[in-house]
Amino acid sequence: MRATAYAEQAVVRRACLRISVITGAVITLLVTVVGGVAHAVMTHTQDDQVRRELRYGAERGDLSRPPVCTWLYASGATPLANSPAGFPVRADLDRVRRTRETVERTVRRDGTVYLVRTQVRADGDVVQAVFDMRFQLADRRHLWFALGVAGAVGLVAAAATGAVLGRRAVAPLAEALARQRRFVADASHELRTPITQVYTRAQLLSRQAAAEDLPARHRDGLARLVGSVGRLDRVLDDLLLSASFSADPRRRTERRPVELVEVARSVVAEESDRTRDGSLTVVVNGPPHPLYVEGIESALRRAIGELLGNAIGHTPAGGTIEVSLARVGGAVELTVVDTGSGFDPAEAERLFERFHRGAGGGRYGLGLALLREVVTDHGGTVAATGHPDGGARFTIRLPESAPAAVPVRTGPL
């Protein structure tokens, strides 16, 4: 149960982090939008005010006492002592004297921006007004600094709020999932013993019925009962394995190199009774050298058994099932090909949904969904291809692993 609690806490932490990040991103976006709008409004307002003051200074300003932040230049007038270097702009003065048309320009100099307006006054004099925008630019920088501080504070507050809200919002869901997994595991464990007893008793009755030559309808009924109980037992195995993979992350530490060819041959041998009863031919094609993958042998055995059992269940009497293993580009591929009823290629992905029912009415149960879960947990992939007219191919691809190291004896022989 500790492993389950650890897994659920990890889910809650990830969900809280995700909610905090999303909340922070939304707050940052809002602050950025508000800052952009405020900056645009401030810039527009300041530009209008500066241009009005610049126009007033050029038209009516006293050359010896210009408005604040403004300097006026004209023929015969002495510039103020604090006039910025590089002014007046002689080219604009000459142009206005020649064309009598007003000229405006922006000059960037000495770390600030100057607006320059050169025009002809009503008395015929050519005057050039220069406005220093350093204070307006400082206001804009202060605005962005204030917005940045507000955004940082808002981001921290949003992250903290998101974490608290996320924990409160996700914790009930995590608890519900934990209870669901515990229920599945507990129910499966509790049902295991009575189902095993029923299965064993049904097999004994079936053998006795065959030995005592009971009517065929009784023998058939007992055979169906044995098959149904056997399928129920396999469903319990699937539920237990799925619950263990979902709730126990420490199972990853149990992984070791598994020789997949040997496991595949062992699984085929275990299913020999079913294939013989179904008059099926099963062929295993593997390389002469071993193929290792990193994983949990019991889970991989269950996955291969599911593929083989699925092929047996969908292949009519007299059919052939081929199990092939090969090394392909640094990975190990296990392919199961059958001559069964096949399926529509459009349903290839849906086959791995839990208890999917095919177009022909065939059910695929929990096994293929668990198969994908096991393969994905081992860092691999599984794919299915088929044809409606018959035949299916399932391919598992797992990362290849180095063989297990053989311990070296260092003591006396």
Side-chain angles (χ1 to χ4, degrees):
M1 292 303 176
R2 291 181 180 178
T4 304
Y6 175 84
E8 300 304 335
Q9 290 173 3
V11 171
V12 172
R13 285 195 297 270
R14 288 195 298 270
C16 292
L17 178 61
R18 189 175 298 113
I19 292 175
S20 299
V21 170
I22 293 174
T23 305
V26 172
I27 294 296
T28 303
L29 179 62
L30 289 176
V31 171
T32 303
V33 172
V34 171
V37 173
H39 182 269
V41 172
M42 174 181 283
T43 301
H44 180 73
T45 302
Q46 288 181 339
D47 287 345
D48 284 347
Q49 181 181 359
V50 168
R51 292 187 185 282
R52 284 196 303 269
E53 294 181 5
L54 186 66
R55 188 180 304 112
Y56 176 83
E59 292 177 352
R60 304 177 184 178
D62 188 346
L63 297 179
S64 60
R65 299 178 62 185
V68 179
C69 298
T70 304
W71 292 269
L72 300 176
Y73 301 91
S75 299
T78 303
L80 298 179
N82 63 346
S83 297
F87 293 100
V89 180
R90 300 294 180 182
D92 289 356
L93 289 172
D94 295 340
R95 179 180 173 183
V96 173
R97 290 191 185 104
R98 185 175 63 255
T99 64
R100 316 302 287 180
E101 294 180 357
T102 301
V103 175
E104 285 191 3
R105 73 165 63 233
T106 300
V107 178
R108 299 180 182 274
R109 184 177 298 165
D110 300 330
T112 186
V113 176
Y114 298 94
L115 291 183
V116 182
R117 179 183 176 92
T118 308
Q119 71 174 56
V120 180
R121 282 189 169 183
D123 57 6
D125 291 338
V126 176
V127 177
Q128 184 173 101
V130 178
F131 188 94
D132 186 354
M133 293 190 64
R134 68 179 67 241
F135 295 111
Q136 286 75 13
L137 296 177
D139 289 342
R140 298 173 190 180
R141 288 194 296 269
H142 293 157
L143 172 64
W144 279 116
F145 177 77
L147 290 173
V149 172
V153 173
L155 187 60
V156 173
T161 304
V164 174
L165 293 179
R167 182 173 297 276
R168 291 186 176 182
V170 177
L173 176 60
E175 179 62 23
L177 292 174
R179 290 181 179 179
Q180 179 184 10
R181 293 193 180 105
R182 286 196 297 268
F183 171 77
V184 171
D186 294 345
S188 300
H189 278 295
E190 292 298 326
L191 291 173
R192 172 64 59 98
T193 299
I195 287 178
T196 301
Q197 293 174 348
V198 171
Y199 186 54
T200 303
R201 185 59 179 167
Q203 286 180 315
L204 291 175
L205 291 175
S206 180
R207 295 192 186 99
Q208 291 177 1
E212 297 175 4
D213 197 21
L214 291 180
R217 67 177 184 278
H218 295 316
R219 293 197 303 270
D220 292 342
L222 287 173
R224 288 193 295 272
L225 176 62
V226 171
S228 298
V229 177
R231 287 191 295 273
L232 180 58
D233 186 63
R234 287 193 293 273
V235 169
L236 285 178
D237 288 338
D238 291 342
L239 290 173
L240 283 172
L241 185 58
S242 178
S244 66
F245 268 97
S246 299
D248 194 351
R250 294 182 301 176
R251 292 203 63 175
R252 303 177 191 278
T253 62
E254 303 175 6
R255 297 182 180 182
R256 55 183 58 86
V258 178
E259 209 289 286
L260 208 60
V261 177
E262 178 182 352
V263 173
R265 294 185 186 278
S266 174
V267 171
V268 171
E270 292 173 358
E271 296 287 350
S272 59
D273 290 341
R274 291 181 63 192
T275 56
R276 184 170 54 252
D277 293 342
S279 301
L280 303 176
T281 302
V282 181
V283 179
V284 180
N285 297 322
H289 52 80
L291 296 175
Y292 289 93
V293 297
E294 188 83 10
I296 302 173
E297 181 175 344
S298 60
L300 294 173
R301 180 181 295 273
R302 186 70 184 87
I304 298 173
E306 175 57 36
L307 278 189
L308 184 59
N310 179 72
I312 293 173
H314 291 83
T315 303
T320 301
I321 300 172
E322 181 177 351
V323 181
S324 303
L325 297 100
R327 179 189 291 116
V328 180
V332 176
E333 281 192 358
L334 183 145
T335 305
V336 177
V337 181
D338 63 61
T339 57
S341 55
F343 57 86
D344 190 338
E347 293 190 351
E349 280 299 314
R350 298 192 60 196
L351 295 181
F352 298 98
E353 296 177 2
R354 294 174 182 249
F355 303 107
H356 170 65
R357 183 181 294 276
R363 291 195 62 176
Y364 291 86
L366 180 66
L368 289 181
L370 176 62
L371 164 68
R372 169 167 281 185
E373 186 177 340
V374 170
V375 173
T376 302
D377 189 76
H378 282 74
T381 59
V382 58
T385 56
H387 303 281
D389 298 333
R393 173 189 296 267
F394 288 82
T395 302
I396 293 176
R397 185 180 178 91
L398 296 168
E400 188 177 13
S401 170
V406 179
V408 179
R409 297 186 59 182
T410 58
L413 297 177

